[in-house]
């Protein structure tokens, strides 16, 4: 009885790109077990966690991610940490202490996702001693590698003076970076800054552009403000259709201002 030859990782990648996750799961299962490579173990753990090509298996995901983490696979370490942070569908207890230790391993090796999550834990004193200065340093490390949520967290730290001296210029710099990278909340606050000249020269045109980006990203308050501007013809041509287009979804999401403006 002849054993089938082991699949190549390239063939698994092609199956992934085609959306054939049954083949992906089967191939990774064999590669992880028979070759013991950290990459195959990590990818198999990921597939089990996401329930691709078969049922979701959080316990199995944890085992394979741990094997890859034992081989120092950085992304596996980070994903395993996030599993410990969320607790899981298996009813496992959330374990921030183990998560923080894992994240510290990956963060010091430059993994931006780990740096961001470690910043959150250190900022909250969750599973690790609270240290807002250290949190800012981890957010900065991740933000400089283009991590969008870290860029936003850093802008909040500079605007509040949390763990770092209050610095409106740096707050605006990182808020703009996060907004340009598609963070809807950052887009909304940047619009709000331009709208009222808060920490930046007032610029109604720029404000409307950022409100629109945030509204298109599903930000409810941005939808209400944009809709109201079109309703009243404030900073834009009055346009009842466009007003409805933005006020209706905001009202349907329960935004009280949008409900009253619709009325």
């Amino acid at each position: 009885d002849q054993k089938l030859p082991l699949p190549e990782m390239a063939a698994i990648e092609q199956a992934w790109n085609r959306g054939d996750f049954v083949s992906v799961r089967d191939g990774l299962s064999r590669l992880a077990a028979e070759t013991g490579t950290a990459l195959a173990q990590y990818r198999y753990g990921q597939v089990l966690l996401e329930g691709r090509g078969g049922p979701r298996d959080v316990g199995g995901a944890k085992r394979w991610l741990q094997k890859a983490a034992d081989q120092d696979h950085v992304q596996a370490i980070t994903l395993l940490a996030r599993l410990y942070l969320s607790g899981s569908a298996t009813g496992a207890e959330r374990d921030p202490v183990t998560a923080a230790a894992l994240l510290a391993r990956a963060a010091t090796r430059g993994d931006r996702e780990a740096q961001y999550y470690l910043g959150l834990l250190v900022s909250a004193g969750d599973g690790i001693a609270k240290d807002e200065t250290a949190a800012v340093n981890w957010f900065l490390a991740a933000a400089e590698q283009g991590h969008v949520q870290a860029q936003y967290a850093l802008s909040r730290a500079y605007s509040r003076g949390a763990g770092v001296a209050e610095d409106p210029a740096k707050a605006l710099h990182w808020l703009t970076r996060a907004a340009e990278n598609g963070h809807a909340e950052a887009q909304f606050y940047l619009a709000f800054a331009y709208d009222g000249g808060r920490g930046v020269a007032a610029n109604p045109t720029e404000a409307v552009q950022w409100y629109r980006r945030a509204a298109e990203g599903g930000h409810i308050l941005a939808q209400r403000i944009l809709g109201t501007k079109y309703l009243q013809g404030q900073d834009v041509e009055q346009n009842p259709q466009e007003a409805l287009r933005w006020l209706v979804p905001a009202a349907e999401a329960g935004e009280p201002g949008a409900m009253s403006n619709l009325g």
Side-chain angles (χ1 to χ4, degrees):
D1 139 76
Q2 288 235 298
K3 276 187 85 171
L4 284 169
L6 273 177
E8 297 279 327
M9 191 54 103
I12 291 172
E13 291 294 344
Q14 286 164 2
W16 185 286
N17 294 335
R18 287 197 306 275
D20 175 7
F21 294 110
V22 172
S23 295
V24 168
R25 187 169 176 137
D26 182 54
L28 285 174
S29 152
R30 290 191 57 207
L31 279 185
E34 293 177 40
T35 67
T37 61
L39 175 64
Q41 293 170 343
Y42 160 65
R43 294 287 298 273
Y44 186 44
Q46 196 182 20
V47 161
L48 292 176
L49 183 61
E50 292 168 5
R52 291 179 187 265
R56 192 160 185 251
D57 176 3
V58 179
K62 218 174 201 169
R63 282 194 304 280
W64 285 107
L65 290 172
Q66 184 65 62
K67 285 176 189 288
D70 290 343
Q71 296 194 63
D72 273 333
H73 190 285
V74 175
Q75 289 155 297
I77 294 170
T78 303
L79 189 53
L80 186 60
R82 290 185 60 185
L83 256 180
Y84 277 112
L85 271 186
S86 63
S88 71
T90 56
E93 281 292 300
R94 183 174 179 276
D95 182 353
V97 176
T98 301
L102 285 165
L103 289 171
R105 274 174 65 193
T108 50
R109 288 180 52 199
D111 185 73
R112 64 183 194 168
E113 191 87 352
Q115 291 167 341
Y116 168 66
Y117 280 101
L118 187 58
L120 291 182
L121 291 187
V122 173
S123 163
D126 186 12
I128 190 169
K130 185 179 172 77
D131 181 344
E132 291 203 313
T133 307
V136 168
N137 288 332
W138 286 120
F139 288 146
L140 180 60
E144 284 178 338
Q145 293 196 72
H147 193 286
V148 183
Q149 285 102 328
Q151 292 171 342
Y152 181 62
L154 197 55
S155 79
R156 306 288 288 165
Y158 278 119
S159 72
R160 293 199 310 263
V164 68
E166 202 173 311
D167 188 331
K170 282 184 177 167
L172 182 70
H173 167 78
W174 288 109
L175 186 65
T176 306
R177 290 277 296 272
E180 285 169 346
N181 285 323
H183 193 290
E185 193 88 356
Q187 292 170 337
F188 171 75
Y189 281 109
L190 189 57
F192 193 66
Y194 279 119
D195 208 5
R198 298 169 184 85
V200 64
N203 185 332
T205 312
E206 199 70 16
V208 168
Q209 301 268 34
W210 285 112
Y211 279 134
R212 184 183 304 284
R213 290 184 183 106
E216 287 176 348
H219 195 284
I220 294 159
L221 206 47
Q223 292 172 342
R224 190 258 279 174
I225 291 173
L226 189 60
T228 307
K229 282 184 182 290
Y230 276 110
L231 192 65
Q232 298 168 346
Q234 182 200 349
D235 304 327
V236 288
E237 280 287 314
Q238 198 166 14
N239 183 334
Q241 280 78 30
E242 196 65 4
L244 277 176
R245 182 184 160 205
W246 292 115
L247 287 173
V248 169
E252 283 172 348
E255 210 291 314
M259 289 171 166
S260 78
N261 286 346
L262 262 183

